Amino acid sequence: MSDRLLRFVPVLLGAALIAGCTSADPRAVLNPGGGNEQTAIDPVTNSQVIQGACPQVILREGTAYYTQFAKGGDGDPEKIIHQASISDTTRQCRVSGDQIVMTVAVSGRVVAGPAAKAGTVEVPVRVAVLEGETVLYSELQKHPVTILEGMPAEQFIYTNAAVTFPAVASRTAKLYVGFDPGPYNTP
């Protein structure tokens, strides 16, 4: 092979692995065994496990954007402290015993509004796993984002590595991620 072609092999392999990790089909990840099953080693038990399906990330309508107004300024564009938006999401799953353990990552940006001041703002991010109407996991966290003086926008990456639910629900569960200005408790 030419040197030029050899430089692209790692890029192509990396792209294939990333595509497999974000696919709804668990067989999409490269499997050295050649079969239809994914195999992995559970770090807790040090035993081989068969991976279940990894639910896709879903953004519910109205949860990809969040606007924070100054006190008493709801709806007034001059009272906007910041606006946040989600630009991308991903997830990774593994089976641990009878549970699916997911790492969910959300990237986005926060844009300073007319009422903004330099400093740290918090955006409310909720991760929820539902099977039908049954809530299997739900957590709302305040994610800090620092807005620097003179910078119109800041990017952020939110990660939750503790999303856990029963493995038997992996093919029917739905994973929702988004901004939620509601109370900071889990249902």
Side-chain angles (χ1 to χ4, degrees):
M1 276 190 223
S2 73
D3 287 339
R4 186 176 217 183
L5 182 59
L6 285 175
R7 283 188 265 158
F8 289 107
V9 170
V11 173
L12 294 174
L13 286 174
L17 287 172
I18 290 170
C21 288
T22 59
S23 171
D25 184 356
R27 294 169 291 170
V29 176
L30 298 176
N31 180 10
N36 285 337
E37 300 172 339
Q38 278 186 324
T39 57
I41 301 298
D42 184 322
V44 175
T45 64
N46 199 28
S47 62
Q48 189 172 359
V49 295
I50 298 175
Q51 299 287 45
C54 193
Q56 289 186 3
V57 179
I58 300 169
L59 287 171
R60 282 192 171 155
E61 188 172 334
T63 65
Y65 301 97
Y66 171 70
T67 303
Q68 177 70 47
F69 292 93
K71 191 171 185 173
D74 288 356
D76 182 354
E78 293 301 314
K79 302 287 184 173
I80 294 175
I81 297 173
H82 64 271
Q83 292 181 308
S85 63
I86 294 173
S87 58
D88 203 7
T89 61
T90 191
R91 83 281 189 234
Q92 178 184 24
C93 295
R94 69 177 179 85
V95 176
S96 181
D98 63 348
Q99 298 288 305
I100 293 284
V101 179
M102 296 182 75
T103 299
V104 178
V106 176
S107 65
R109 65 187 216 150
V110 175
V111 179
K117 295 179 182 167
T120 301
V121 298
E122 294 177 329
V123 292
V125 180
R126 180 176 297 275
V127 175
V129 178
L130 281 79
E131 183 177 36
E133 297 296 317
T134 304
V135 176
L136 303 176
Y137 176 91
S138 181
E139 186 171 7
L140 179 59
Q141 296 180 339
K142 295 178 182 180
H143 182 71
V145 180
T146 302
I147 297 177
L148 302 175
E149 185 71 39
M151 297 296 292
E154 293 295 331
Q155 294 183 348
F156 70 89
I157 297 177
Y158 163 84
T159 303
N160 183 338
V163 179
T164 306
F165 61 95
V168 296
S170 67
R171 296 197 183 279
T172 55
K174 301 214 182 290
L175 169 67
Y176 295 99
V177 174
F179 295 118
D180 182 357
Y184 285 88
N185 58 15
T186 55

